[in-house]
Amino acid sequence: MFIEPGMKVGTKRVFFPDIVICNTREVIAVIEIKYQPRALPSHDKDLETLRILARNRRRVSVSNTRFRGPAVDAKNYPMSEDVLFVWAGIHKKPQTSYESEEQKLLSHRFRVLDDCFLQLHAETDHLKRPSVFSRVN
């Protein structure tokens, strides 16, 4: 697991997703997290990052090189063909919950995320327990 690793796309653009999970050979999940318990979720920047990484998945990898201390098994992890892109948020419940079929998936504008995107929500509501659920396309 890598926390905010730099993922380079091409020669100039570097993205820093919140969490990247690898097995022993490759990246299996890229996760963006938002913690805004009293506000509606902001997700445009996160989804744009996931879209670009998904579109360029064959050209993106993560390295476990270290900035300090001895290098231990420095290795590059390419993205799996079956990588899962996740947006997870703790946020205020909107007028129409994201759990409702009336709400489109957050990834609805990005076809490259079809069949590989999961959204997780914990919607907060004043004086109530959060509603926790997932949606997948």
Side-chain angles (χ1 to χ4, degrees), residues 86-88 98-101 105 117-122 131-137:
V86 179
W87 183 89
Y98 280 98
E99 193 170 20
S100 168
E101 291 298 318
L105 285 171
F117 179 75
L118 170 67
Q119 62 188 48
L120 305 170
H121 296 268
S131 174
V132 179
F133 57 91
S134 65
R135 289 190 60 195
V136 55
N137 61 351

Side-chain angles (χ1 to χ4, degrees), residues 35-41 90-93 122-126:
Y35 181 75
Q36 300 172 300
R38 292 188 177 99
L40 294 175
I90 298 169
H91 58 84
K92 179 180 170 182
K93 179 181 176 182
E123 290 182 342
T124 60
D125 201 350
H126 188 65

Side-chain angles (χ1 to χ4, degrees), residues 56-76:
N56 295 285
R57 70 178 80 189
R58 288 188 178 92
R59 297 181 6 204
V60 176
S61 65
V62 176
S63 174
N64 70 346
T65 56
R66 297 179 56 136
F67 293 108
R68 290 182 277 185
V72 178
D73 187 28
K75 179 178 177 180
N76 280 336

